[in-house]
Amino acid sequence: MDSGMGGLSVWKEIRASLPNESLIYYADAAHCPYGDRDHDEIRGYVEYAVAQMFDKGAKMIVLACNTATASAIQYLRAEYPSVPFVGMEPAVKPAAAATKTGTIAVLATRSSLDGGHFKRTSAEYADKVRILSAVGEGWVPLVESGKENTAEALEAVRVVVEPLLAENADQLVLGCTHYPFLTRAIRQVIGDRDVKTVNSAPAIVRRVRNLLSQGELEASLSNVPEYTFMSSAGQDYLSRLREKAETAVNMEF
Ligand code: DGL
């Protein structure tokens, strides 16, 4: 689940790596964006979405949303101890290992950056690297409305990314699942500078694979997967969500 379409950047990787697994994708578009809401409110929305996915027979839940993870994962794990939950968190560790300048930047929503988890991770790496953080202001609505390849998106990306590059960050951690959809604009702003974007989705796929195997939950090799889409918004949103999923399948993040 995600607040909207951003989690498709994770859905796409899971679908490609685990081709026999059926997937349910829930977009809580009625409450998107989550990024500026408080943790208790977000937790309530996520709990509702998770209940809907259990009703459809989900055997594992992936919170394909850093903001939802920061607000709800501890609560959900305590509430449903027999279900595996996988959450997203900004990929600080690989970025800290890869930086050459000693400065990395984490891009995420305000609520994720305010969360205890991110603060703890930052503190853990603070003596090794300098960690800058920034909110991708306006980025989530651009992705939700399919405007990622517009001049408006390029400008929204430029105002956030340029100051981070000016501070010498050479690793841009995409700590919100909507942000990979803006990779093209981000790369355009980076230009020929030696700066990389870091996406957490591949690590999440490894985690999903391991937990499926540990719990003996894998679908059989003969399973023909079904892809189900759900949303708290109307039919129109659902059609756009399906279209975006088709586009995401062929995108390189
Ligand atoms: N895609 C979400 C994340 O990973 C949240 C976007 C939002 O709703 O603000 O944090």
Side-chain angles (χ1 to χ4, degrees):
M1 70 89 50
D2 180 41
S3 61
M5 301 188 187
L8 291 172
S9 62
V10 180
W11 174 88
K12 162 218 153 61
E13 299 289 347
I14 296 176
R15 175 177 149 155
S17 302
L18 298 162
N20 299 108
E21 297 296 339
S22 292
L23 303 172
I24 302 163
Y25 186 96
Y26 186 101
D28 189 10
H31 306 113
C32 184
Y34 277 179
D36 286 330
R37 297 180 189 273
D38 74 44
H39 291 292
D40 285 345
E41 184 184 3
I42 296 168
R43 196 187 69 193
Y45 296 146
V46 176
E47 199 184 1
Y48 179 80
V50 164
Q52 304 294 304
M53 293 190 285
F54 283 144
D55 279 353
K56 292 271 178 202
K59 61 187 176 185
M60 170 188 285
I61 303 284
V62 180
L63 300 184
C65 176
N66 294 257
T67 313
T69 304
S71 299
I73 201 153
Q74 274 177 334
Y75 171 83
L76 290 167
R77 284 187 176 134
E79 197 72 3
Y80 304 100
S82 59
V83 181
F85 284 92
V86 178
M88 306 283 306
E89 55 187 78
V92 171
K93 192 175 166 185
T99 180
K100 293 181 199 148
T101 61
T103 301
I104 70 169
V106 176
L107 292 149
T109 66
R110 193 161 285 108
S111 186
S112 291
L113 295 174
D114 281 349
H117 191 88
F118 177 64
K119 288 191 177 137
R120 279 193 296 280
T121 312
S122 308
E124 199 182 313
Y125 287 90
D127 59 338
K128 300 176 191 78
V129 290
R130 185 160 76 111
I131 305 179
L132 309 175
S133 62
V135 175
E137 216 64 75
W139 294 13
V140 170
L142 284 165
V143 173
E144 286 292 308
S145 54
K147 290 188 187 153
E148 33 303 55
N149 294 318
T150 60
E152 187 186 349
L154 187 60
E155 194 43 36
V157 167
R158 191 185 305 283
V159 295
V160 176
V161 168
E162 204 59 77
L164 301 171
L165 302 182
E167 287 281 336
N168 235 358
D170 68 346
Q171 304 286 318
L172 302 181
V173 177
L174 305 182
C176 166
T177 54
H178 280 75
Y179 297 176
F181 281 96
L182 289 159
T183 301
R184 210 159 107 184
I186 297 170
R187 295 224 168 104
Q188 218 168 316
V189 172
I190 292 172
D192 57 10
R193 288 173 275 204
D194 187 13
V195 174
K196 301 268 178 304
T197 54
V198 188
N199 176 8
S200 315
I204 295 308
V205 173
R206 285 196 293 278
R207 182 83 187 128
V208 169
R209 187 191 289 285
N210 287 343
L211 285 177
L212 285 175
S213 149
Q214 274 169 30
E216 298 183 3
L217 291 167
E218 295 128 312
S220 78
L221 291 178
S222 60
N223 188 51
V224 178
E226 278 176 32
Y227 302 120
T228 308
F229 293 90
M230 300 169 77
S231 154
S232 53
Q235 274 307 319
D236 175 53
Y237 186 89
L238 212 48
S239 322
R240 290 196 295 113
L241 181 67
R242 286 202 184 93
E243 274 169 35
K244 190 115 176 163
E246 283 313 311
T247 324
V249 167
N250 300 312
M251 275 175 84
E252 284 295 324
F253 292 120

